[in-house]
Amino acid sequence: MYLEEKDLAWAQETLERTAHKLEKVAQRSAEKIPYTTVDGVHDDKSGDKEIGWWTNGFWGGIMWQMYTLTGKEIYRNIAEQNEKKLDADLMDYEKLDHDNGFKWLPTAVADYRVTGNRSSKNRGLLAAGNLAGRYNCAGKFIRAWNDWPNSKVDRRGWAIIDCMMNLPLLYWASEETGDPRFSQIAANHADTAMKAFIRGDGSANHIVEFDPASGEMIKSYGGQGYGEGSSWTRGQSWGLYGFMLSYLHTQNNAYLETAERIANYFIANIPDSGLIPVDFRQPEDVKLEDSTAAAIASCGLIELARQKDGRQQKIYLNAALKMLQALTKNSFNWNEEEDNLLTKCTAAYHDEKHEFSIIYGDYFFLEALMKLTDKELFIW
Ligand code: GLY
């Protein structure tokens, strides 16, 4: 991949500044598993009630990237603590859902990749086995969420675009064990997602409901976006990066083409500012942003650029650079006494609270810089 000198210099300098800040943040938040910040201070989701929260692998992921970058033991120690704390979740069947990939790829599997640690491999394989068990054979999809505890909605047939990012846990399990069943399930889900989630224009549905008995597709939902038929930007990003990852693990060109279609749609909708709204189809007078969508899409676009050359490579790289540079100018907290990197992250369009800090925004921002400078630990 060819990065112009000025862009490489920008990425190197931004990574250095980010790493400088993260060293202080890591010291302050060593005992926590953060999700967001309150008045600039990380919260902590490692308690009994919240240990199953789907984002609880990203802090460990930041620490493994920082360990890869610097070799400093503090990062490895914090990452190991994060991984061990997640055992309470791994042993609680009802709290596990399809997000096993988000939780155990950046923690246990990353640890195993770096250290070869047997207990980390064990955790990764247990998480993969549980994820494989969520596969619906009739509909060929992985069920997203549970109905526990007391959901009013029957979600046995629900799948979501986000799951494309959980599939690499299954590809890894097959690569590790030599047993193709895990990757067969992942590829079947990806094939279903290509048909049921990705629309003709390259945009993606967030939620699709199937009949859990017959496997027939019933309908789609707007989910965390504006509404049915809308275009929740983080969902587009999960689809773009997720199909890219399925391609990297399988070499199936259909996944690469799908990632490219989503990427072309995404790029056509990036505003001049480079700042990404919560939904590409939100009303024009709504100015809500989601920095996480920009960071995740950038990672997908950089991976896509690595598969291309010439003009196409430049288009994908420039789009990623435009978003990352817009984030650092407008939506980044450079104050080293505060714990977050990105600002203006949004979990869901219809939530009461918008535009705050979210840990996976910080994770993917760091991953994007590590990719641009060729220093990344491959997590997915
Ligand atoms: N995977 C849930 C989200 O992106 O908010």
Side-chain angles (χ1 to χ4, degrees):
M1 185 176 77
Y2 174 73
L3 206 54
E4 278 181 35
E5 223 171 276
K6 68 169 176 24
D7 295 327
L8 183 60
W10 173 84
Q12 272 162 346
E13 193 204 316
T14 309
L15 179 59
E16 263 169 46
R17 283 182 77 191
T18 303
H20 192 266
K21 169 162 178 168
L22 278 173
E23 184 159 3
K24 296 192 172 175
V25 177
Q27 282 159 3
R28 288 195 294 267
S29 299
E31 302 299 323
K32 301 177 180 178
I33 304 183
Y35 167 61
T36 185
T37 48
V38 180
D39 298 328
V41 178
H42 269 151
D43 67 346
D44 181 13
K45 294 255 182 227
S46 65
D48 281 355
K49 286 209 176 106
E50 295 182 302
I51 191 63
W53 182 232
W54 76 274
T55 68
N56 275 354
F58 289 106
W59 177 237
I62 291 174
M63 295 299 108
W64 280 118
Q65 295 293 0
M66 287 298 291
Y67 180 69
T68 304
L69 185 67
T70 66
K72 290 186 183 168
E73 286 299 316
I74 176 175
Y75 299 119
R76 178 171 161 170
N77 293 337
I78 298 172
E80 285 171 356
Q81 279 183 51
N82 187 147
E83 178 183 337
K84 285 190 188 123
K85 285 178 189 163
L86 278 176
D87 285 353
D89 185 33
L90 195 54
M91 290 308 294
D92 195 342
Y93 179 81
E94 289 178 320
K95 286 199 180 127
L96 295 171
D97 58 25
H98 75 144
D99 282 330
N100 286 7
F102 279 127
K103 290 183 208 164
W104 281 284
L105 282 167
T107 54
V109 178
D111 187 342
Y112 177 64
R113 283 186 163 129
V114 175
T115 67
N117 181 355
R118 194 189 164 275
S119 52
S120 299
K121 174 179 170 182
N122 185 43
R123 289 182 178 107
L125 289 176
L126 285 170
N130 176 270
L131 178 58
R134 301 186 70 83
Y135 182 65
N136 181 303
C137 298
K140 299 192 174 174
F141 66 89
I142 292 172
R143 173 181 171 181
W145 298 310
N146 305 330
D147 293 322
W148 182 92
N150 309 323
S151 167
K152 291 190 190 96
V153 187
D154 177 357
R155 300 192 290 193
R156 289 172 302 163
W158 285 29
I160 67 174
I161 189 69
D162 322 29
C163 190
M164 291 304 302
M165 294 297 294
N166 289 316
L167 302 184
L169 181 64
L170 299 176
Y171 295 125
W172 168 79
S174 276
E175 287 153 20
E176 202 49 49
T177 62
D179 183 336
R181 290 174 303 157
F182 300 99
S183 58
Q184 285 163 354
I185 288 173
N188 283 357
H189 178 92
D191 291 346
T192 302
M194 262 191 310
K195 287 184 233 138
F197 284 80
I198 309 307
R199 309 178 185 124
D201 64 357
S203 68
N205 288 313
H206 181 201
I207 299 173
V208 172
E209 180 174 7
F210 301 87
D211 181 320
S214 71
E216 290 298 307
M217 180 176 162
I218 297 174
K219 62 175 290 196
S220 65
Y221 298 89
Q224 284 160 254
Y226 176 64
E228 200 182 333
S230 76
S231 178
W232 176 48
T233 52
R234 192 161 63 256
Q236 319 307 297
S237 305
W238 292 141
L240 162 51
Y241 195 12
F243 275 104
M244 247 344 275
L245 292 167
S246 271
Y247 170 71
L248 293 180
H249 285 283
T250 64
Q251 298 297 301
N252 180 342
N253 273 323
Y255 302 149
L256 180 62
E257 282 159 20
T258 303
E260 219 171 336
R261 280 177 55 218
I262 304 172
N264 293 339
Y265 165 82
F266 197 102
I267 291 171
N269 283 280
I270 297 176
D272 290 343
S273 67
L275 300 167
I276 301 303
V278 179
D279 194 307
F280 283 134
R281 295 175 190 166
Q282 68 196 25
E284 265 178 37
D285 58 339
V286 175
K287 301 294 173 208
L288 294 175
E289 285 169 25
D290 179 18
S291 302
T292 73
I296 299 158
S298 297
C299 289
L301 288 166
I302 297 165
E303 285 299 340
L304 188 49
R306 283 179 172 159
Q307 301 301 319
K308 302 282 166 185
D309 45 34
R311 193 176 153 268
Q312 270 185 311
Q313 181 181 90
K314 217 169 157 50
I315 289 172
Y316 296 133
L317 267 182
N318 283 349
L321 284 163
K322 179 174 177 158
M323 289 191 284
L324 293 168
Q325 289 173 352
L327 286 177
T328 52
K329 278 199 202 109
N330 302 283
S331 310
F332 200 96
N333 182 357
W334 288 110
N335 180 350
E336 296 202 346
E337 301 316 312
E338 296 188 345
D339 292 340
N340 60 307
L341 300 182
L342 296 187
T343 61
K344 297 201 166 188
C345 305
T346 296
Y349 183 90
H350 291 289
D351 280 355
E352 268 173 32
K353 193 175 169 200
H354 304 97
E355 301 191 331
F356 51 104
S357 69
I358 302 185
I359 196 74
Y360 48 85
D362 293 1
Y363 172 79
F364 285 103
F365 178 82
L366 177 64
E367 188 185 294
L369 292 179
M370 298 279 284
K371 280 187 199 298
L372 288 174
T373 51
D374 259 335
K375 298 202 166 102
E376 175 203 10
L377 169 69
F378 184 74
I379 292 265
W380 309 103

